[in-house]
Structures are given as C-alpha cells and as structure tokens.
Amino acid sequence: MEYENKLVLAPMVRIGTLPFRLLAAEYGADITYGEEIIDHKLVKCDRRLNEKIGSIDFVEKGTGSVVFRTCDEEKDRVVFQMGTSDAVRALMAAQMVCKDVAAVDINMGCPKSFSILTTLRRNMSIPVTCKIRLLKSSQDTVELARRIEKTGVSALAVHGRKVPDRPRDPAKWSEIADVVASLSIPVIANGDVFEYDDFQRIKVATGTSSVMVARGALWNASIFCPKGKLPWEDVKREYVRKSILWDNDIKSTKHTLKEMIMHHSSLELPEGKAVTKSDSLVDLARLYGEEKSYDFFVKN
C-alpha cells in the first residue's frame, strides 16, 4: 500500500460497507476505509467464505450477523479501521483480517496508548496507520503526530476538526499543514472536500499529497471522478444495485440512502417515505427498478 498522491474514502459508520467502498473505487478512489469496527466485536467472529456472493465474511458467533465483509476485488486497497483500547486485543483482531485487507488503521479520535500502534507495527506484515482529530492547540496536535510517527506507522490521516467542532464548522486546513510540515511520513488530509476541485485546493493549502473525503463522497460517490460528478440519481441507483448483489445489511443500506436523500431532497417526499418503509432488499429493488439485480442475486 502506497500513501502518496492518493484519493481516499474516509471511514463512515454504517455507510462504509462493501457496496459503498466498491462504488467509491469504481469512481476513482484509490484507498477505501471500512467503517470503524471495535476489536471486541471482531474477536467474537469466525472468518467464512461466502460462496454465494464471493465475499469473505467475519460472522459473529451466536448471532450470525456479518460484522465485516470484504472481497478479493478490494483486497489491495481496503483499510480495516479498528477502535481499540488494548494492544493485545487489537493485535488479535488485526491478525484475523490481515490476509484479507491492505492495511489496518487505528481510530485515535482522542489520544490513546501508543503501545497499541507499536505492538501492531512490530507484529504485522501489512501497513499500520491511524487517524486523528485536531487537539486543543496546533502545537498539541503536532506533538501527538510526532509521537505517533515514532511508533513506525506508515501514514497518518488528520481530520481538520477538533472533538467539540460540528460538521458545519470550517475544517482548519492550516493546522493540518502544521502537521504535514512536522512529519516525514505521508499525511492524509481530511475535511471540507465536496467537489473534485477541492482535492487540489486542500493539497495546496496543507502541503499533503493525499486527501480523504467523507460527506462529499456520501452525498455523491462520483466525487472521485476527474471528469466531474455523475447525476446523484445514477450514483444512488448503482449503490442500490451493489447493495443487492453483495447482500448488504438492509439497515445499513437504508441509512446510507436516507443520508443521500436528506442532502439532495427530503425524506418527507414519496421516495424518502418509501425507503423508510422498506423492510428488505427486495423492497428497495422494486423501488429503484433493480428487480433484475435481485433476481440475479437470488438465482446465484
């Protein structure tokens, strides 16, 4: 995994599942992060090959729910993001997925023990990275980043907001620039990227060569296309199709669709109400005219 000059899909809870990651990659994302998964959850799973759809599933013992699903198609670019507070448990979880993903990332939204990163780095053959938010002062953030760099991680993603900041608050690109200037490892800049041109703008403003996007991709995953965004209706339908073909969790699929609709339209209009009422993927297939995709899924 290389981290220079990359366009990256950010980790998004309940959104960054396999269909959405494949969607972003289809439109040009070089690296795609999965949604954050807590190590406690993963260590309770069995790894299974899902022959029906060709995926690799990590299934929770007892409940049978799929905690993490991936496939060979994304093996060289998917990053497994983990939430953890224990080095031993983190390593156990990382070793379970390491043959199926390109890298492991630790979510350090708040500063945690650096022993976790050191333990993973010393025992893993794939890259280990982490993602942080800005701290109270730029100096504090830089000091944290330098300590993280010393653990041997391959790259650091920096979200240009502090914990108390709201999404509507402007991302502080200048404070990301302070981190970039202080480190020798690649820094991935994250925050306020909503158009393809914003990739270049944040690169110039921060000095980094790689950029991560969250909401901009959620609202229209074709943000990664150099030629410009496709109509969101087309992108949305392609997401539904992929969700059906990869048997995505209905709750996750509905959540993602509703987030898209809320940005572009309204949940109070007929489409939004229909998505809210949908109980299964077949309901969504009928709503979006993807019956053929569902039939293909059922027959195969």
Side-chain angles (χ1 to χ4, degrees):
M1 176 78 89
E2 298 294 331
Y3 290 94
E4 297 286 358
N5 200 30
K6 302 296 182 183
L7 303 184
V8 186
L9 175 69
M12 290 182 279
V13 175
R14 298 178 68 190
I15 293 166
T17 52
L18 179 59
F20 197 84
R21 298 194 303 266
L22 292 176
L23 184 71
E26 181 178 302
Y27 292 131
D30 302 302
I31 300 172
T32 55
Y33 281 57
E35 60 175 338
E36 180 189 5
I37 293 172
I38 305 301
D39 56 2
H40 277 291
K41 195 88 168 172
L42 192 74
V43 296
K44 296 176 183 175
C45 293
D46 287 324
R47 179 187 182 276
R48 298 179 188 172
L49 178 61
N50 187 329
E51 296 183 354
K52 181 177 181 179
I53 60 175
S55 66
I56 298 143
D57 296 349
F58 290 83
V59 181
E60 188 175 25
K61 300 171 186 174
T63 67
S65 63
V66 177
V67 172
F68 179 66
R69 171 170 285 163
T70 185
C71 65
D72 286 342
E73 184 182 335
E74 67 168 6
K75 185 177 180 179
D76 293 334
R77 64 172 173 270
V78 65
V79 177
F80 182 85
Q81 195 194 49
M82 186 192 314
T84 181
S85 59
D86 181 85
V88 174
R89 193 170 58 243
L91 179 59
M92 189 186 310
Q95 288 176 331
M96 290 177 64
V97 299
C98 65
K99 293 182 179 179
D100 300 305
V101 300
V104 170
D105 183 84
I106 300 300
N107 182 9
M108 290 181 67
C110 297
K112 297 175 183 176
S113 172
F114 298 93
S115 66
I116 296 171
L117 295 173
T118 303
T119 298
L120 290 175
R121 186 67 192 91
R122 288 176 178 172
N123 292 279
M124 302 292 293
S125 59
I126 60 175
V128 175
T129 62
C130 71
K131 184 172 183 286
I132 65 171
R133 280 178 174 261
L134 300 177
L135 297 185
K136 190 173 182 179
S137 72
S138 183
Q139 182 180 351
D140 289 342
T141 307
V142 168
E143 289 177 3
L144 171 64
R146 283 173 172 164
R147 289 186 68 189
I148 289 172
E149 182 179 40
K150 288 178 181 177
T151 67
V153 296
S154 298
L156 173 68
V158 182
H159 183 185
R161 290 184 175 85
K162 301 170 184 178
V163 173
D165 289 345
R166 308 308 302 160
R168 63 178 177 272
D169 296 325
K172 299 172 180 65
W173 290 0
S174 63
E175 294 193 28
I176 300 177
D178 293 340
V179 174
V180 174
S182 303
L183 303 187
S184 58
I185 60 173
V187 174
I188 306 169
N190 174 215
D192 289 355
V193 176
F194 302 113
E195 304 291 341
Y196 188 83
D197 289 347
D198 290 338
F199 287 122
Q200 186 60 32
R201 288 180 56 239
I202 193 171
K203 285 181 180 181
V204 171
T206 64
T208 188
S209 66
S210 293
V211 181
M212 175 180 282
V213 57
R215 288 177 297 157
L218 166 61
W219 296 335
N220 191 324
S222 65
I223 188 176
F224 295 104
C225 290
K227 296 180 180 179
K229 291 180 186 174
L230 300 175
W232 84 277
E233 293 281 357
D234 296 345
V235 175
K236 177 179 58 181
R237 186 166 283 106
E238 181 62 20
Y239 169 70
V240 171
R241 190 180 76 84
K242 281 180 166 52
S243 292
I244 292 168
L245 294 177
W246 291 100
D247 193 23
N248 198 44
D249 176 71
I250 182 62
K251 291 181 180 179
S252 167
T253 305
K254 286 175 59 175
H255 175 75
T256 303
L257 283 171
K258 288 196 286 187
E259 289 289 326
M260 292 179 184
I261 292 168
M262 282 190 290
H263 179 70
H264 293 278
S265 178
S266 170
L267 290 177
E268 297 305 312
L269 293 177
E271 179 192 7
K273 290 181 177 179
V275 169
T276 300
K277 291 180 180 178
S278 296
D279 293 323
S280 64
L281 289 175
V282 69
D283 291 339
L284 293 178
R286 291 176 182 137
L287 177 62
Y288 288 102
E290 289 294 336
E291 292 92 344
K292 288 184 180 179
S293 297
Y294 191 81
D295 290 343
F296 179 85
F297 164 72
V298 171
K299 290 176 182 177
N300 290 273

